[in-house]
Amino acid sequence: MWPKTLLVLTLLVQNISSNPVANAFDNFHSSCRALASHLIIPHGNVSSSSLVTAGTTLRFPNSDQTCTRPSQAVSVDLCRVELTVATSNRSSMSMEAWLPAHWTGRFLSTGNGGLGGCIQYEDIEYGASLGFATVGTNNGHDGMTGESFLDNADVVEDFASRALHTGVVIGKKISASFYGAEHSKSYYIGCSTGGRQGMKEAQTFPDDFDGIVAGAPAIAFNNLTSWSSRFLPLTGLPGSPTFIPLDMWPIIAQDILDQCDDNDGVSDGIMESPDLCDYNPEALSCGVSENATNCLTTTQLQTLKSIYSPLLDANGDLVYPRLQPGAELLGVPQTYFTGQPFGASDWFKYAIFNDPNWDPMSLVPADYVLSSTMNRFNIETWEGDLSAFRRKGGKLLHYHGLADPVISSENSPRYYQHVSDTMGLSSAELDEFTVTLLSLGWLIVEEGQVLRILGTVCEALSRWIHKRIC
């Protein structure tokens, strides 16, 4: 007869070894640990594959500070794969694949923001938490500036499209290798620059995804950077005659609301149709007094009128639509009207002029044409023919907040019309594979966290494709 203590321990060991949940977790752990040594990625170096358990907070001590992502909480058990991939003999990208223990068979790629260079860990984590095998890249360089573009066209090409597409191809290979099966559906989600990346995928790499969610896309990219960079020479530096003090903007915002609130038929403190607002700031004129407060000088009034007018080139042709009224409520003065260069000016400094000493104050209309004509690696992302994406059965959800303080929401309907005209499709026909949603609010609370704030957008897509994805 066995001693009672030995009998209890034996039964305990037997119980553990026969526990399918424990065995499955052990298998997941060992498979994850071995993955790095098994993966063969052309021109790639897999630095690690490691188990991350639910409740862990990952730290990124070597992350570029401008990425503002020092850590990320993880809510599910997953296998984290870290690697670098050479994209040319003088450029490379970093990427990560997060492979959840409870995989739904679906694949998801995430995008980037601004001129970044930053893996958006919050989006990768959320995708993994929903059961997606999820990937993200640094878009071919580190940090939120354009300095890496200087004297290196390969880094520019990575940023334009190559890094994302390469990450998708490699990410799918990693997922299939780890799970031993191909994904059933492939999706993409991103906003701002990430929205442009999604549109680029639909236009140029239509086989990459079954579904694309492109938020507030930075399409018409060259002209967008001309528009956003032009606000500095338009307003001038603080104290200059053209500069509008930041404390005037709440007054301007109220004046706009007073004029345009009831354009939708209801005076409720909400401007639901900024496209119907033809704002006239004359009521804010200081008149003959140039020293009065809470009003605008003649020169400042002209600045304000230019802000809410379309940007035209020297020939009078449209460069980019106007800033939509309503954006002043959600941070556009702090984005564009501080008298400081906006981040997009780096595109001109490093990618167009290739001159680190270029002065953003020197931007002139001829530079708009130069950037648009160069259109480096077709970064404009303005192709109107989505036939290939349509033929493969792809679905495209395009959304934009009507008070977006960074990218004019008036550009998104313009692209919708461009696709309609190019493909010769009516709205009903376009809606078979694309949906464009314009929201009252600015949908991006802060850079990243795209999936966390989709809300009704995700619900709409679920109803549209007859399959719940939220």
Side-chain angles (χ1 to χ4, degrees), residues 28-77:
F28 182 80
H29 188 184
S30 59
S31 296
C32 175
R33 190 168 48 198
L35 182 60
S37 60
H38 294 161
L39 283 174
I40 300 177
I41 305 298
H43 311 294
N45 177 39
V46 182
S47 57
S48 69
S49 56
S50 57
L51 177 70
V52 181
T53 56
T56 299
T57 296
L58 294 175
R59 307 289 179 183
F60 312 121
N62 299 320
S63 174
D64 191 288
Q65 291 185 352
T66 62
C67 292
T68 64
R69 289 174 173 85
S71 64
Q72 177 61 51
V74 179
S75 61
V76 295
D77 296 333

Side-chain angles (χ1 to χ4, degrees), residues 199-200 202-204 219-220 378 380-390 396 414-425 430 433-434:
M199 290 295 191
K200 172 63 75 173
Q203 295 171 19
T204 307
I219 50 179
N378 196 19
E380 187 74 353
T381 318
W382 196 251
E383 305 300 319
D385 187 357
L386 302 180
S387 298
F389 187 68
R390 182 192 190 196
L396 172 63
R414 191 167 74 100
Y415 180 68
Y416 181 91
Q417 189 61 50
H418 175 53
V419 174
S420 176
D421 293 342
T422 302
M423 298 183 67
L425 299 177
L430 273 180
F433 75 102
T434 69

